[in-house]
Every structure is written in structure tokens, then in C-alpha cells.
Amino acid sequence: MDGATNELRLVLSTPPPNWQPPLGTAPNNPIAILHASLEHVRDNGDERYLFLRTILEVLHSRGFLNDSASSAAPLSGEEEQLLFHCVTGLRHVILFRWDSFHSSLRTCVRDFLLNVGLGLSFIDSGVGPSGVVCLPRTVAMACLSGAASLWKRGWVAGNDSDGVQESEEQSYVEKMTRNAIPHMQRIGKGEDLFVYLNSLLLAPFEEAMQQHQQQQLIYQKRYIGTMSASFLSLLVGEFTGGNSSARYNLPVEFHRSCHRVFENGNHGDQSGLDATLHLSMTALSSLVGYVLNNTSSNTLQDQSLMEFGTCIINVTFDVLSWEFGAGSNKWDFSSGANVSAKDSGRGGVLLRPPQKWREVLIRPDFLGAVFHVYTAVRIGVAGGNSLDSTVMQKRGRMSHQLRQLLLQLASIAQGPIFTDQNERGAYAGFLLDGCLNVLETVLTEQQQHQDQLTADSMIWECRSTEIVDLVTMLSRITSNFRTKLLSQLATFQRFLSALCAIGKWLLESSVTECHQAGGDFGSMEGADWKNDAIAQILQCSEAMAGDYWLAGGSDSQEAKAACESLAVSLAPLYGVHCACRVRMASLEEHYLVREHAELDEAREEISATALEEEMAAAASLGRFNILASMKALSEMFHECMPRLKTLFGSAGVGGELNAEMAALLEEARMLIVCACHLLTDECEGETPAIPESVIHACQAGGSPHHEACTASIFGFINVLKSIAEDQALKATVHPEDPRLSPLLAKTLLWFFNRWGAAYVFPSFEEYRDDFCGIL
């Protein structure tokens, strides 16, 4: 082993035979030579075992293979880089020349990498806050990744057969490796691996240890548990193909076979996927119980616990993300990665786990406990400022992972995993209750501690991601469990009120920020995340509006009650949305004209498309209560119309269009856009028709206010006709005057084109007699 490090350094600093530097690279560039030499050693099979010998030598010299607590010393940056390349190089050589190595050596290297990566080789040196020395995470994760790749390579029966007789060199290297860690944990089969990892994951939660053993040992156990959970995530990633960085030099059939066996088991054995799920859920249950029983501030400020908990959650998340029955065209394992997100089949958001996972996943009481843990771990505004920045960062990361896990649990689709609709409803109820409790807490904190939230604070960043995740969860619950089931829950009214309240706050705070920025959208710090959250709220609205149980005109009392709740509790958000978006568009136009800003055509086109999509989605809100929505639009338009008429009347007096004029024209244009999406649908390629919700609101018997609704639509159309005629007359006299905005005229024509095609052109025969009031 002596001298292996220096020998490898010499090899890596010498250009390989017949090597030509890449174009634009100097011949003596040390980085280029290093990578070329590494590739040369790997491709030639590392005949002198330099990778493995160097790993042993460096770790031994730094005390990571000794039992002495005082011998461990930090690695230098050069040693860390060298070890990383040695570990990845060793993995590459063994995977590509699998049959050239005896099975005992392969198993020895696999177990060695796992022990080093988990920290078992230097556990007695201590892992904790007081001057601890442990392997850099890059090296430790490289060791665990290498062990995961070797486990996968020999997972399927028949893949681990001996293809060569063990040579003296291999026997010597194997003996050297085993002697490096005298008490190295040796693992035979996959079942033994999961039993061993289970013991490491549960060790930090043992009651006797928590009460009687030293805090230093608790940190050690948590570190090992953290790395064990990280290894499980890497192992699952190897079998899915999505998180692997290894190359196996094998056809895609091998990877499909491994994927199938890991999912379904082999010859009656428990599948690796099932075992991983049970491990992760058992550890997660222990974590939940520990946090709930130890909610003191010291516990929640323990960085090792936060890291450990985050890794446990990550494993559960990875298992639930498994794609069952991967088809032949979905994977390209030869390069160790998915072909693409689109081809991998992960576009769908609903999960369909097998029935055998029912006992582990369908546990409403456990859902409630997870929400309690989240409430304890999340960073509140009142106490967040007193936290250390590192603790805040780790708690924020764990909180985010908990939300992602809950989002996955909210995505479990209807199927055999639920016994009946009652159980599915109870499951949805627990999810909805927990999510609403947190969301209402966020709103309360916002009202009480608004002065403590600044755009550049870490608490503000945590709050923004939290709100986006929570409304995304509500959107997922809505699209998954559907309105019929949700409307039967006691919290349905509370759900609608919360959506409306958070939507109003997001929109109104966006307008306030836009005012403070003077209409400069580029300087608005919170615009992106608020737009994301609003988009999720609108998706909730679209999912409920498009639900056939409601849209199909069901005559059941339950459907009518749900429609009434939507009209009363959620529809008022439409008027706020229109008012805020119109105001923000007006402010932005004022800024652009005032500052003579140059517009990027591509960016403007993207923004216009995004706005059209948002307005179309917002129309689903307004159609829950057509009369109230039309009143809101009419009030805004009547406030705008006198100023618009005055502006048209000043055509021909000369002068350029100033910022105030441009803002007024944009305000009018946006109101027309809102009305068009509310009253008409995009019917390209289809026969234009009046939206069903408009027909229902205006028909006799469909709504008690049908006459008022019809009158409000007629009155609005007449106002638009008056404006269009006035603008057209002025334009014939002063065609070049910028006050007679061509863009406004184009928007008016677009409105009448869509409205006329649906309301004017169809014959009465295409509608029932009681539907003709609006025609």
C-alpha cells in the first residue's frame, strides 16, 4: 500500500501516450492532463489497483481507518479531490470489468465503500459539534454511490457469478482491504442489507440511548443514520435510473430486469422497493414520535436531528416517486439517466401505489401527526428571528421536504388502495384539515407580524416557498379528490374561504409592491412566487369549475349546495383579481412610457401569452357567480369610461401620448380582456357557443336573478359598442392620433369577434327554448 498515492499522483500529472490536448487548451494544462490520465487509467482497468490502494493509504494516513479517536485529521482540498476521483474510478473499473474480478473481491470492495461512506470505519473518532473530524460529504457520498452501484450490479440472480479464478494480486488487495477495517460489517444478500440499515436508522431513536448515553454518541448515531438514509436514496436512484451517475457497460435489458426485480422481488422474496418503503416509513414514524415527544426549543434547534429527519423524508419521497411497470421506451439506463422528463412518463401528478402498500400509506392518524411535526418544525415569524442562520436553513429544508412528502400523499389516486369512498373521504379530510391549519397560521402571522417580514430576510424566503407549497397541495387535493367528495367534508366551506383569503392577500400585496416599485415589474422581489401561488389557486378554481358533477348541470341538492358555496365564498375573489391585475397593468404601462423603456418583443409575447392563460383561468372564478362578476367589471368600467371618453375627445389637439394617457388606455384594454374571457370561450376548431355557466345564470329557472344577469350583460355590451363607435368616428378624422389606441381598437374587435360568434350568429334552434333569453 505504501507509495500508492505518490505513484497515482505521478501518473495523473503525466500525459497519457499519444494524447492530444483539446482545441483551445494549452498542452501543459494540469486540469486537462488530470482528466485525460484518469480516463486512461480507468479504460485500461487500473492494472496496479492504484485507485483502491490510494483510498486505503490516504484514509489510513488521516486516521479514518483507525480506532484511535485522536488520530483522525481533516483532509486537505487536494486529498479530497484525489479520493473522490479514486472512488469514482474504482467503481467504473469494477463495473466495466465485472467478470475480471473474483466475487469475493467485489463483495469486499462493496462492503468497504459502504462502511466508509456510512462513517463506520471512523465512528470511534466521534461525530458531533465539538471539534469533530469526519469525511467530507463529497467523498462520503461518492463511497455510498459506488456501493449502491455495486449492489445493483449483483442484485439479479446470476449477475454475481464468478467468471475468473482469484489471482494472487486480487487476494492480496482483498486481504489488505479487509485488514483496513478489522470489524467491517459484511453483508451477504439484499435482505441482510435492509435488516442492517433498519438497525442503523432506528438506533438514534432508542429510548435507552436517549436517556442514559452521552450526547456525543447520539450525534454519532444520527450521523450514521443520516448517511444510511442517504445510501437508501442512492440505491433507489440506481434502480430507477433517474439519479444514477454510474455507467455499467451493459445493455438496457439488464437495467429493465433490475428495475423489475427490485420492484416485484425474485422467487418469492420481498422486493427491494417494499423493503425500502417499510424502512423509510418505520424511521419516519420514529422521527414523528420523537419530535412530538420532544418539542423543546433545544430539540428543534438540533442540526443533526434536522439533517437526519430531512434524509429520512427524502427516502420516503424517492420511494413514492417510483414508476411502476416502466415500459421499454421510458428508460435509457446505458447512460445512467432518464431520457428526458417528458419521455420518463413523470408528467402525471397522481400516484397509483399498489394495494400492498395500503397498510403503510393509508393512515389518516399518521397524516395528522406529520402535520403536527411540520407545525413544530416550521419557522414561525415570531421566533424565527432568534434562530441561528444555519439552524434556520436546516429547519427550512426539512419543512420543505415535509411539504413535498405531504404533497405526494395528497396525490394518491383512487384505486384499490382505498377500501371505499368513505375511507378516501376521511383521508382527504385529514389532508385538508392539516393544510388549512397551517395556511390559516400563515395568514395570522402575516397580519400580526407584517413589520418583521422583509423581502431580504430568510424568514420571508421560507414563508414564500411555504405558501406556494401549501396552495399547490390544495390544488392537488382538489384535482385528485374532486368537488363531489370535498363538498361532503365539514371543512369544505373553510377550504373555500381560505382560498379566497390567501388569494386576496397575494393580489393586494402584489399591487402594493407594484406601487412601491413605481410600476417596474423587474424590481418587484416577490412577484414570481406570488404569481406561482395565484396560478395554483386558479388551478383549484378550474378543477372545480370543470368538474362534470357541477358543470353537467346536476339537479342533486348536494351539487346545488356546492354551487352556492362556490358562488358565495370563492367567486368574490374574481373581482379582486380583475381589479388588481388591471391596476398593475396600468402601473406598468405608466412606468414604461414614463421611462421610455425599450421592449423586448420575445419577452412581451411570452408575457402576453401568460396573461391570456391567467385570465382564462380566472374566468372560472367569475363564472361561479356571473351576476356579481359582471357587476364588478361594470363598476370598474363605468369608473374608467368618462376618462376614456374625455381622452378620445381630445384627439386632434396634438402632442405625444404621455404616461397617464397610456395607463388609462391599458386599463380599458385589460377590462375588455377580462370581460371577453368571462363571457366567451376560445372555440378555435369548434362551433362557438355561449358558456354553460352564462346560459344557466341567464335562463328562467336556472337562477333567481336571471333577469338581472341578462340585463347586466346587455348593458356591458352596449357600453363597449358605444366606446367602439366613438373611437371609430374619431379615428376617421384623426387616424394618426396616438390617443385613439390601435391596440385598444384591436382588443375591441377581438372581443366582438368572439362574442358575436357565440351570441349573435347561432340560430335559436341550437338552444332549448328556455336558453334563449341571452341570445
Side-chain angles (χ1 to χ4, degrees):
M1 184 168 66
D2 294 339
T5 305
N6 290 332
E7 182 180 352
L8 181 60
R9 283 173 175 152
L10 179 60
V11 170
L12 296 181
S13 62
T14 305
N18 303 320
W19 175 70
Q20 295 294 328
L23 292 176
T25 304
N28 58 348
N29 186 298
I31 303 299
I33 294 175
L34 170 67
H35 289 284
S37 300
L38 273 173
E39 186 176 356
H40 178 73
V41 175
R42 289 198 305 260
D43 292 344
N44 284 275
D46 188 20
E47 297 175 351
R48 292 183 53 78
Y49 301 96
L50 289 176
F51 289 143
L52 180 56
R53 290 166 54 207
T54 300
I55 293 171
L56 294 171
E57 187 173 304
V58 173
L59 292 178
H60 177 79
S61 67
R62 289 298 183 178
F64 287 102
L65 300 180
N66 296 337
D67 293 335
S68 173
S70 61
S71 61
L75 295 174
S76 67
E78 188 271 340
E79 287 174 328
E80 178 182 348
Q81 183 183 28
L82 182 64
L83 276 181
F84 175 81
H85 287 304
C86 286
V87 172
T88 55
L90 177 63
R91 175 182 65 178
H92 180 93
V93 169
I94 295 179
L95 290 177
F96 268 61
R97 297 173 179 263
W98 185 261
D99 293 332
S100 300
F101 299 95
H102 194 268
S103 62
S104 61
L105 177 59
R106 297 192 301 252
T107 302
C108 176
V109 171
R110 182 195 70 192
D111 293 343
F112 171 78
L113 291 177
L114 181 60
N115 277 259
V116 172
L118 294 178
L120 298 172
S121 63
F122 56 90
I123 184 60
D124 291 334
S125 65
V127 178
S130 54
V132 195
V133 176
C134 58
L135 278 178
R137 184 168 177 81
T138 53
V139 177
M141 293 300 290
C143 291
L144 295 179
S145 180
S149 299
L150 297 179
W151 267 107
K152 177 185 174 179
R153 183 62 178 81
W155 193 268
V156 179
N159 286 339
D160 203 26
S161 59
D162 288 333
V164 66
Q165 186 175 0
E166 188 172 21
S167 65
E168 293 184 5
E169 287 183 342
Q170 290 192 15
S171 298
Y172 175 74
V173 173
E174 180 182 344
K175 182 179 179 181
M176 185 190 306
T177 306
R178 294 194 184 280
N179 290 338
I181 309 178
H183 305 292
M184 181 170 64
Q185 181 69 33
R186 302 180 183 181
I187 305 172
K189 301 184 299 182
E191 296 177 358
D192 301 328
L193 173 66
F194 291 117
V195 171
Y196 179 59
L197 291 175
N198 186 56
S199 66
L200 298 181
L201 288 171
L202 297 182
F205 302 115
E206 294 176 357
E207 183 177 358
M209 189 195 73
Q210 299 295 338
Q211 294 179 355
H212 305 295
Q213 296 184 357
Q214 296 179 353
Q215 188 68 24
Q216 186 75 2
L217 185 57
I218 296 177
Y219 284 117
Q220 294 175 3
K221 298 295 185 182
R222 284 179 184 166
Y223 176 84
I224 295 174
T226 299
M227 302 312 291
S228 300
S230 299
F231 171 73
L232 276 173
S233 290
L234 290 169
L235 186 67
V236 174
E238 287 292 329
F239 283 94
T240 61
N243 300 328
S244 174
S245 59
R247 296 177 64 87
Y248 288 79
N249 196 31
L250 288 170
V252 70
E253 286 75 14
F254 161 78
H255 301 281
R256 291 176 186 146
S257 175
C258 288
H259 186 280
R260 183 176 60 255
V261 172
F262 191 78
E263 177 184 321
N264 301 318
N266 196 19
H267 304 298
D269 296 336
Q270 184 185 28
S271 75
L273 187 64
D274 292 346
T276 306
L277 176 68
H278 282 278
L279 254 69
S280 63
M281 290 298 290
T282 301
L284 184 60
S285 297
S286 299
L287 173 68
V288 168
Y290 180 81
V291 173
L292 293 180
N293 292 327
N294 299 272
T295 55
S296 65
S297 58
N298 291 334
T299 300
L300 297 177
Q301 294 184 30
D302 191 328
Q303 297 182 32
S304 66
L305 179 63
M306 296 298 106
E307 290 182 359
F308 184 31
T310 301
C311 289
I312 290 175
I313 298 166
N314 285 342
V315 178
T316 312
F317 183 89
D318 291 337
V319 175
L320 292 178
S321 300
W322 182 269
E323 184 175 4
F324 289 91
S328 59
N329 296 323
K330 292 183 179 178
W331 306 100
D332 180 14
F333 290 101
S334 59
S335 63
N338 293 68
V339 178
S340 66
K342 179 180 179 181
D343 295 334
S344 68
R346 296 189 185 276
V349 296
L350 297 184
L351 304 178
R352 302 185 185 278
Q355 187 176 11
K356 59 184 177 181
W357 287 10
R358 167 183 159 74
E359 294 182 0
V360 179
L361 296 181
I362 308 305
R363 297 164 55 190
D365 57 333
F366 178 68
L367 283 178
V370 173
F371 272 110
H372 285 306
V373 170
Y374 175 75
T375 303
V377 173
R378 68 180 292 271
I379 301 172
V381 178
N385 291 322
S386 62
L387 294 176
D388 177 77
S389 60
T390 305
V391 174
M392 188 181 299
Q393 184 180 25
K394 294 184 183 298
R395 282 180 61 173
R397 186 179 299 118
M398 182 174 174
S399 300
H400 177 70
Q401 291 304 117
L402 275 171
R403 293 194 300 270
Q404 294 304 303
L405 176 62
L406 289 167
L407 180 61
Q408 279 193 315
L409 294 175
S411 304
I412 297 179
Q414 183 175 0
I417 198 167
F418 293 105
T419 56
D420 52 35
Q421 284 295 97
N422 291 331
E423 183 182 62
R424 191 163 177 260
Y427 184 84
F430 273 92
L431 282 169
L432 197 57
D433 285 345
C435 189
L436 292 176
N437 288 337
V438 178
L439 194 59
E440 289 168 353
T441 300
V442 171
L443 287 172
T444 301
E445 290 178 346
Q446 179 62 34
Q447 294 171 357
Q448 297 178 352
H449 307 283
Q450 188 171 3
D451 295 339
Q452 300 181 32
L453 290 173
T454 57
D456 57 346
S457 68
M458 189 174 294
I459 297 179
W460 177 260
E461 182 179 350
C462 293
R463 184 67 65 253
S464 61
T465 57
E466 181 179 37
I467 292 174
V468 173
D469 288 344
L470 288 173
V471 293
T472 301
M473 197 182 307
L474 291 177
S475 176
R476 190 69 52 83
I477 291 172
T478 305
S479 61
N480 183 15
F481 295 97
R482 313 302 294 172
T483 312
K484 183 176 182 179
L485 188 148
L486 296 178
S487 65
Q488 297 172 5
L489 301 178
T491 52
F492 183 63
Q493 190 68 41
R494 180 182 167 208
F495 163 55
L496 300 180
S497 300
L499 273 184
C500 190
I502 192 69
K504 285 183 178 179
W505 172 72
L506 289 169
L507 289 164
E508 291 171 353
S509 62
S510 295
V511 173
T512 301
E513 186 178 3
C514 189
H515 269 290
Q516 294 171 349
D520 182 9
F521 276 28
S523 63
M524 292 173 59
E525 297 289 341
D528 290 338
W529 74 264
K530 288 178 182 178
N531 287 338
D532 290 341
I534 291 169
Q536 293 297 330
I537 294 174
L538 295 180
Q539 283 190 20
C540 281
S541 171
E542 282 190 300
M544 288 185 282
D547 193 324
Y548 183 76
W549 183 63
L550 295 179
S554 174
D555 293 331
S556 67
Q557 292 301 318
E558 293 83 1
K560 292 180 179 179
C563 289
E564 183 64 25
S565 296
L566 289 166
V568 172
S569 301
L570 189 58
L573 182 59
Y574 177 75
V576 179
H577 179 272
C578 290
C580 291
R581 286 307 191 212
V582 169
R583 183 58 181 155
M584 290 174 66
S586 177
L587 288 170
E588 183 186 26
E589 189 68 19
H590 189 281
Y591 166 78
L592 293 175
V593 175
R594 185 184 71 241
E595 300 297 328
H596 305 285
E598 295 184 3
L599 300 180
D600 184 340
E601 292 186 5
R603 184 176 179 181
E604 285 295 304
E605 185 176 352
I606 294 173
S607 299
T609 302
L611 180 63
E612 287 289 318
E613 292 175 352
E614 181 179 341
M615 289 301 175
S620 63
L621 273 174
R623 291 177 184 178
F624 288 135
N625 192 333
I626 295 291
L627 179 58
S629 301
M630 286 304 306
K631 284 183 177 179
L633 286 177
S634 297
E635 289 174 0
M636 286 186 279
F637 212 97
H638 280 94
E639 191 276 331
C640 169
M641 190 173 65
R643 294 180 288 129
L644 189 62
K645 292 273 191 179
T646 302
L647 179 62
F648 287 166
S650 65
V653 299
E656 295 183 354
L657 189 71
N658 59 35
E660 287 73 17
M661 296 175 184
L664 175 59
L665 291 170
E666 180 64 13
E667 180 182 345
R669 189 188 73 84
M670 284 294 297
L671 285 171
I672 297 170
V673 171
C674 293
C676 187
H677 283 292
L678 177 66
L679 297 177
T680 66
D681 288 323
E682 177 62 53
C683 297
E684 185 175 356
E686 302 177 3
T687 302
I690 303 173
E692 289 289 336
S693 55
V694 177
I695 293 175
H696 181 76
C698 296
Q699 75 178 87
S703 168
H705 309 291
H706 65 278
E707 293 182 354
C709 187
T710 304
S712 67
I713 295 176
F714 282 169
F716 192 85
I717 298 299
N718 288 331
V719 170
L720 290 185
K721 287 167 62 178
S722 172
I723 291 176
E725 291 171 356
D726 193 14
Q727 184 183 24
L729 289 173
K730 296 293 184 182
T732 58
V733 181
H734 308 289
E736 303 296 331
D737 197 299
R739 296 169 180 79
L740 304 173
S741 167
L743 182 58
L744 179 62
K746 180 181 178 181
T747 306
L748 281 166
L749 290 173
W750 168 73
F751 173 88
F752 284 114
N753 183 54
R754 281 181 46 158
W755 177 79
Y759 289 75
V760 178
F761 294 154
S763 64
F764 287 96
E765 287 77 13
E766 296 182 21
Y767 295 92
R768 297 204 307 264
D769 292 340
D770 56 348
F771 279 20
C772 297
I774 192 63
L775 292 177

